[in-house]
Amino acid sequence: QPHDPGSFPESFIRGYRVAMTEPRGPVYMALDAGWQEEHLEQPIPIPDVSMYPVATPIGGDPDALRQVAQLLAGAEMPIILADRLGRNPAAVPGLIELAEAGTIPVVDLGGTFNFPSTHPLDATGTDLLEHADLVLLLDVDQPEVALISRDRYPRGHGRSRLKAGARVITIGLGDLLIHSLTTDFGSLYPMSLNVTADTNLALPAVTAELRSLVAGRSTEARATLIRERRAAARQRWNEEAEREADHRPISHARLNRELWNALQHEQWTFNGAVEGWVRRTWEFERPGCVIGVVGGAAGLGTGLARAIGVGLAARDNGGFCVALNGDGEFFYDPSSLWTAVHHHIPVLAVVLDNGGYLGEGGHVEFTSRQRERSTATNHIAVHIENPSINIAGLARDQGAYAEGPIEDPAELAPAIARALKVVKEQQTLALLAVRVG
């Protein structure tokens, strides 16, 4: 087609007639960029951005916040669950002060960095929730996920993790999400008190009131229970990690132990949900060191792209991003690797290769058995094999440093060291494909 926008209508009609009267295959037409663009006769006016301010935060009803403090003070074993409080790093010190003021254990649900994993009051991964008579939720949009114990594919409503009579109260902005009959972030959960407030503003008020209410009280019995439950959890994790140290495929415990050994003195930012062996083996102490999972379905398929964005921001502060992504999620946007290499964005990307979309595979397996169907074809569109995809080769073809598949646990530490050296010295993406079980 000649580069003449004026001839487009005529050529379009011609092509349409061919397609209709001579069905011999597709008819292709290419649009030149000149057809889509126009010359600017004058500059585009830029509005005064100061006239579009960010909304001021919600402080919360003072009476309701005082009631929160009273409930915390009156509880025998209160506990705090925080999920996305740390989206504002300035809120983290406020949570630490509140926990220390009342000797209240804190469970970090991992939506972002909320509470230091090394703090004596960190109760993440312990069974202290089952001992609690009062639960304070902070920026938890889906309380049923944390408070109900259920199988991956439950029948019925699951079992509450709370003891009989335990009360639940919440502070956050979750109610502002509710704007229609249906929602995409969780079901309604029964609460004793629901306070709409920005936690960064609300917690100092609760802490000040709580201090006045518990002044002179002894909390040693509670502190002793927290220490015992933390020690029991860590002993259990260490024993499990030791049992799985030499497993093939490589265990998540071994992988994360080796990663932490290499990263503990580095300026890293973690992209993803801090849960499982990541939380058990790493030490999270810096507000802002975690960029949590966002979006519906846990942001499935966005992990690599988000990691590159995190790496770009971390680079400006002299650091880099660390990202752990499943192989199924990685295959959504593997071309993102080129972007990181081309623009020298530092990312240590670890792809957890378990051979396919096994999360979906579990659902297919469950559904087949529940409906008494054959499971003989459940591997279709789930298992990635015959051939398996060379993840490291795919990365190298886009200019990235890559190793894998790593199958021997003894090879983990040196491979991580080599990849980390590339990330730091060359300011680019390095990828490790690790076979995990």
Side-chain angles (χ1 to χ4, degrees), residues 207-260:
T207 301
E209 183 71 17
L210 180 61
R211 283 199 177 109
S212 66
L213 293 171
V214 300
R217 293 188 193 176
S218 173
T219 56
E220 183 54 36
R222 184 187 302 169
T224 299
L225 177 61
I226 296 171
R227 285 195 299 270
E228 291 174 350
R229 296 297 89 198
R230 277 172 53 86
R234 276 149 182 76
Q235 180 178 350
R236 184 173 66 251
W237 299 338
N238 288 334
E239 291 172 354
E240 184 177 351
E242 289 300 323
R243 287 195 304 270
E244 299 179 350
D246 297 321
H247 280 193
R248 295 193 189 192
I250 295 171
S251 71
H252 290 265
R254 176 67 180 268
L255 170 60
N256 281 286
R257 274 189 167 186
E258 299 290 4
L259 281 170
W260 178 245

Side-chain angles (χ1 to χ4, degrees), residues 267-332:
Q267 185 69 17
W268 48 266
T269 301
F270 183 81
N271 177 71
V274 181
E275 57 189 4
W277 285 105
V278 179
R279 179 78 187 192
R280 295 170 188 172
T281 53
W282 295 35
E283 292 182 1
F284 294 90
E285 298 178 307
R286 293 179 284 111
C289 70
V290 175
I291 306 299
V293 172
V294 294
L300 184 62
T302 66
L304 183 57
R306 285 188 292 111
I308 292 171
V310 173
L312 181 61
R315 184 183 69 182
D316 293 339
N317 296 318
F320 57 91
C321 174
V322 180
L324 276 66
N325 297 114
D327 53 347
E329 179 179 34
F330 170 80
F331 292 135
Y332 275 85

Side-chain angles (χ1 to χ4, degrees), residues 48-53:
D48 181 2
V49 295
S50 66
M51 298 306 295
Y52 301 88

Side-chain angles (χ1 to χ4, degrees), residues 136-433:
L136 170 59
L137 305 177
L138 299 177
D139 291 313
V140 179
D141 294 334
Q142 302 188 70
E144 72 282 358
V145 174
L147 301 180
I148 294 179
S149 177
R150 61 179 71 190
D151 296 332
R152 181 177 176 86
Y153 305 106
R155 301 188 73 175
H157 300 289
R159 177 184 61 82
S160 174
R161 297 182 61 194
L162 305 181
K163 69 179 185 180
R167 305 178 71 177
V168 179
I169 59 180
T170 183
I171 302 175
L173 302 174
D175 269 19
L176 301 183
L177 297 173
I178 301 175
H179 53 78
S180 61
L181 177 63
T182 58
T183 64
D184 63 356
F185 58 86
S187 59
L188 292 175
Y189 193 90
M191 302 281 180
S192 296
L193 182 62
N194 184 354
V195 184
T196 297
D198 186 312
T199 47
N200 189 37
L201 294 182
L203 294 193
V206 175
T207 301
E209 183 71 17
L210 180 61
R211 283 199 177 109
S212 66
L213 293 171
V214 300
R217 293 188 193 176
S218 173
T219 56
E220 183 54 36
R222 184 187 302 169
T224 299
L225 177 61
I226 296 171
R227 285 195 299 270
E228 291 174 350
R229 296 297 89 198
R230 277 172 53 86
R234 276 149 182 76
Q235 180 178 350
R236 184 173 66 251
W237 299 338
N238 288 334
E239 291 172 354
E240 184 177 351
E242 289 300 323
R243 287 195 304 270
E244 299 179 350
D246 297 321
H247 280 193
R248 295 193 189 192
I250 295 171
S251 71
H252 290 265
R254 176 67 180 268
L255 170 60
N256 281 286
R257 274 189 167 186
E258 299 290 4
L259 281 170
W260 178 245
N261 288 338
L263 295 170
Q264 56 184 309
H265 301 301
E266 303 291 345
Q267 185 69 17
W268 48 266
T269 301
F270 183 81
N271 177 71
V274 181
E275 57 189 4
W277 285 105
V278 179
R279 179 78 187 192
R280 295 170 188 172
T281 53
W282 295 35
E283 292 182 1
F284 294 90
E285 298 178 307
R286 293 179 284 111
C289 70
V290 175
I291 306 299
V293 172
V294 294
L300 184 62
T302 66
L304 183 57
R306 285 188 292 111
I308 292 171
V310 173
L312 181 61
R315 184 183 69 182
D316 293 339
N317 296 318
F320 57 91
C321 174
V322 180
L324 276 66
N325 297 114
D327 53 347
E329 179 179 34
F330 170 80
F331 292 135
Y332 275 85
D333 58 348
S335 60
S336 296
L337 295 171
W338 181 91
T339 301
V341 174
H342 181 75
H343 293 286
H344 297 282
I345 300 174
V347 179
L348 177 60
V350 181
V351 179
L352 311 177
D353 181 4
N354 62 8
Y357 299 93
L358 300 194
E360 177 67 16
H363 177 72
V364 173
E365 181 82 11
F366 172 82
T367 303
S368 297
R369 295 190 183 282
Q370 289 297 312
R371 298 178 181 176
E372 299 181 348
R373 296 174 178 170
S374 170
T375 60
T377 59
N378 284 359
H379 62 282
I380 296 176
V382 171
H383 292 276
I384 302 175
E385 54 189 12
N386 298 323
S388 298
I389 296 176
N390 185 348
I391 295 173
L394 181 60
R396 285 192 291 267
D397 285 346
Q398 298 179 72
Y401 176 89
E403 295 188 35
I406 300 171
E407 301 176 287
D408 184 351
E411 296 178 358
L412 274 174
I416 292 170
R418 289 189 294 267
L420 183 58
K421 186 173 186 292
V422 170
V423 171
K424 294 173 60 180
E425 293 184 357
Q426 300 182 25
Q427 290 292 285
T428 188
L429 180 142
L431 179 143
L432 299 175

Side-chain angles (χ1 to χ4, degrees), residues 13-88:
I13 294 172
R14 228 175 16 246
Y16 178 78
R17 285 174 178 166
V18 170
M20 293 296 99
T21 60
E22 303 177 33
R24 58 192 179 194
V27 176
Y28 296 96
M29 288 183 289
L31 295 179
D32 184 80
W35 178 260
Q36 305 171 49
E37 300 173 358
E38 295 182 6
H39 180 71
L40 290 176
E41 301 295 339
Q42 57 187 8
I44 298 176
I46 304 297
D48 181 2
V49 295
S50 66
M51 298 306 295
Y52 301 88
V54 176
T56 58
I58 299 173
D61 175 39
D63 290 336
L65 296 178
R66 278 193 292 270
Q67 190 175 352
V68 170
Q70 291 165 1
L71 289 169
L72 290 172
E76 181 179 346
M77 185 61 203
I79 194 168
I80 296 172
L81 274 59
D83 193 19
R84 291 196 55 78
L85 170 139
R87 71 190 185 283
N88 183 349

